Amino acid sequence: MDVYNHIINQKIKKPIHLSSIAYQLYVLKDTTLFLKVNKSALDQSIKLEDIYSIGDSHWNYATYYLRGEIYDNAYYHFNQAYNNFIKGNHKEEAANILYGMARIKGRFRDYANSEILNVKAIKLFKELNNIEMLHTCYNHLGLLQKDIKEYDKAIIYFNKSIKYLDQLDSKRRKSYEGIYNNIANIFLKKGNYKKALELFNKDIINNTKLTHQARAFDNRAKCKILMNDTIGVFKDLMYALNIRDSLNRKTEILTSKIHISDYYAYSQDTIKAVQFATEANLLAKELKNGGDYLTTLQQLSDLQPKNSKKYLDRYIQFNDSLISEERRAQNKFTRIEFETDEHIEDNKRLTEQRVWIFAGSFAILLISTLLYFLRVQKVQNEKLQLEAEQQKANEEVYVLTLQQQAKLEEERVNERNRISAELHDGILGKLFGTRVSLGFLGMQMQPDTQEQHQTFLDELQNIEKEIRDVSHRLSENFDDATVNFTTIIEQLLRDKSVIGKFNHTFTYEPNISWKSINEVTKANVYRIIQEALQNIIKHANAKSVTLDFALQHQELLITISDDGVGFDTKKGKKGIGIKNIKTRVEKLSGSVDFSSEINQGTKLYIKIPYIPKNAA
């Protein structure tokens, strides 16, 4: 006779005893026998209508599926157990079941419902004065608040948890003092690394259990990296990893490898960082740990810029599937609660199902819309970036153009000076010498020839005077940079006046030293005037345009006015042209203002700091 038949044939009067035997088999990890005995216990309990035993058998199943990470089955049996325990007024068991359901909901990020279940459990545990479970429930509430980044609320719940922890005797308190690790993680999230480090150290001192030691050392190392303190960090990380490896705690090994990768990344050892991040990625995939899998994808993306797009695409794809899976799980848990409620009428149940289907569809639509919006936003950002790069390239072209024209103007000035010198020192000197020589020859001529000879000498003298005048005009000292930039502006004004069919006037103060103003400023001034003239052509229908440069209190004043149609400044919309002008003026730390009236034209006033290079 096998063990199962031996157990069944025993004279067990109550199903609860059979359920207890099943639980002991679960503890001994005899899965096959556990399932057989627990099924018999459930069948017998239903037959005898033993509500407590039915609840206990479902509790056994829930615990079994929870260990196997089959969460929908676990939740189903928790729900069945709760309905029976609450029906029989077994408050302590019902409260424990509520806590188990809250943990599953929290794992699938259904934080609101998880919190509701936790609060219901706390109410029952308070009635029963169960100090240990009150500590545990408040601790779980704190973890839920941490997940939704409500860190201040999390600390409140953790402090309540500690209040109940302090009521336990020292032996029982020792096994629960991981609460300080949880609080430390909150301060880590808030950026209070000093306080977090203090609590991690306290956790190390108070916990001698190897798994707790590994967790505390690993978290302390992570905290010290964030504090830019690497002393002893590698030793702590490897100590934690060795403990977890010896215990074959794969989920915790995964955490260690993530933190070791962060350490190597901080130490700029990219090869080692990629190695551990890759190992962590594969382990997360094996364990189906969605959160850590996303973390490792982010690490690999940061560590390998060339493959960044590949990892980010995988990140987005997996995150979307993870959200969908969690939502399906949430909906499934809700349906389990719904379908096992024997007191809801059939038509109401169908209505509720339709509501949930609609909610799920709406959620999917919302997610799809959000993804579409993010995609559009990404495209727009890329477009704006390209436009910014194009604008920067255009400015560089204008700067180069100004520099090239300045160089050409400088060469022209040099050539004029050279020609002037050549005329004055060369040709003029030779003419003078020739004229003097001819003067001496005249003394030897006959009187009738000397008169004609003198006429030629006078003509030569006039030619010398003309050449001297030309030489002086060529060599006049003028500011070539001013001629250069103002020439460019005048040419721009001339070109635009042809297109816009308006007359133009250009005035400027000669003491503006354009040569000492940097090329970027001049390029922006050019573009500002170009934009203003383009606006006049498009909108003003002007017959006359005036441009003026002036200096006042170390500021360059630019005034552009037209006699066009004007507009109402109170109602008129500011177009892209005005916005572009304002952007460029702000870039030069200047200010811009304009005045206009209907049929009275428009005036644009621009002030830009005037700081010549030699004055800087």
Side-chain angles (χ1 to χ4, degrees), residues 201-213:
N201 286 329
K202 185 173 183 178
D203 197 32
I204 289 172
I205 294 169
N206 290 335
N207 281 294
T208 56
K209 193 175 179 181
L210 281 178
T211 54
H212 290 177
Q213 284 275 307

Side-chain angles (χ1 to χ4, degrees), residues 37 149 201 301 352 494 522 548 556 560 597 611:
V37 174
K149 300 181 180 180
N201 286 329
S301 173
E352 289 290 330
R494 190 180 303 116
K522 286 190 279 191
D548 178 66
L556 176 62
I560 306 169
E597 293 182 15
I611 307 175

Side-chain angles (χ1 to χ4, degrees), residues 21-190:
I21 292 171
Y23 181 75
Q24 293 304 317
L25 292 169
Y26 162 78
V27 172
L28 294 170
K29 298 183 179 180
D30 190 341
T31 302
T32 304
L33 199 54
F34 160 76
L35 290 172
K36 285 184 178 180
V37 174
N38 200 62
K39 184 178 185 306
S40 296
L42 182 58
D43 291 342
Q44 190 175 336
S45 299
I46 293 171
K47 185 177 180 179
L48 296 174
E49 297 183 354
D50 186 339
I51 292 174
Y52 183 89
S53 296
I54 292 172
D56 196 63
S57 296
H58 279 296
W59 193 356
N60 284 346
Y61 275 129
T63 306
Y64 165 77
Y65 286 119
L66 191 63
R67 185 168 72 181
E69 297 185 353
I70 307 173
Y71 296 105
D72 51 347
N73 287 358
Y75 193 87
Y76 168 79
H77 288 289
F78 270 136
N79 193 58
Q80 292 287 349
Y82 173 74
N83 287 334
N84 282 280
F85 284 139
I86 205 71
K87 188 189 296 183
N89 200 32
H90 302 293
K91 293 183 178 179
E92 180 136 6
E93 290 79 2
N96 277 288
I97 296 299
L98 286 169
Y99 173 69
M101 295 166 74
R103 287 184 61 193
I104 293 177
K105 289 267 190 180
R107 190 186 189 285
F108 287 91
R109 296 200 275 195
D110 189 354
Y111 300 117
N113 286 316
S114 178
E115 188 171 352
I116 290 169
L117 291 169
N118 240 318
V119 170
K120 288 174 70 175
I122 286 171
K123 287 180 180 178
L124 292 173
F125 285 131
K126 280 185 176 179
E127 285 182 31
L128 301 165
N129 197 31
N130 188 327
I131 304 301
E132 288 185 27
M133 286 308 298
L134 284 169
H135 157 72
T136 300
C137 286
Y138 277 115
N139 181 55
H140 188 245
L141 278 176
L143 292 173
L144 291 175
Q145 297 305 313
K146 185 195 81 169
D147 287 344
I148 60 175
K149 300 181 180 180
E150 289 284 351
Y151 300 129
D152 292 332
K153 284 187 178 179
I155 290 175
I156 291 172
Y157 286 129
F158 284 139
N159 285 333
K160 286 186 178 182
S161 179
I162 290 174
K163 183 184 75 173
Y164 289 105
L165 179 66
D166 290 338
Q167 296 179 40
L168 299 175
D169 59 58
S170 59
K171 185 177 180 180
R172 287 189 296 167
R173 188 187 304 126
K174 205 72 176 176
S175 61
Y176 287 102
E177 287 193 337
I179 182 70
Y180 294 108
N181 177 76
N182 295 337
I183 298 174
N185 277 319
I186 293 296
F187 283 109
L188 198 66
K189 294 287 186 183
K190 293 183 72 173

Side-chain angles (χ1 to χ4, degrees), residues 387-419:
E387 289 177 353
E389 290 174 356
Q390 183 63 44
Q391 182 176 341
K392 183 179 179 182
N394 288 341
E395 287 185 3
E396 290 175 354
V397 169
Y398 279 108
V399 168
L400 290 172
T401 301
L402 288 174
Q403 290 174 342
Q404 183 64 27
Q405 293 199 14
K407 186 68 176 176
L408 290 172
E409 192 63 32
E410 184 180 350
E411 290 299 324
R412 283 196 293 270
V413 170
N414 291 337
E415 183 64 16
R416 289 174 65 171
N417 289 334
R418 187 190 66 78
I419 294 170

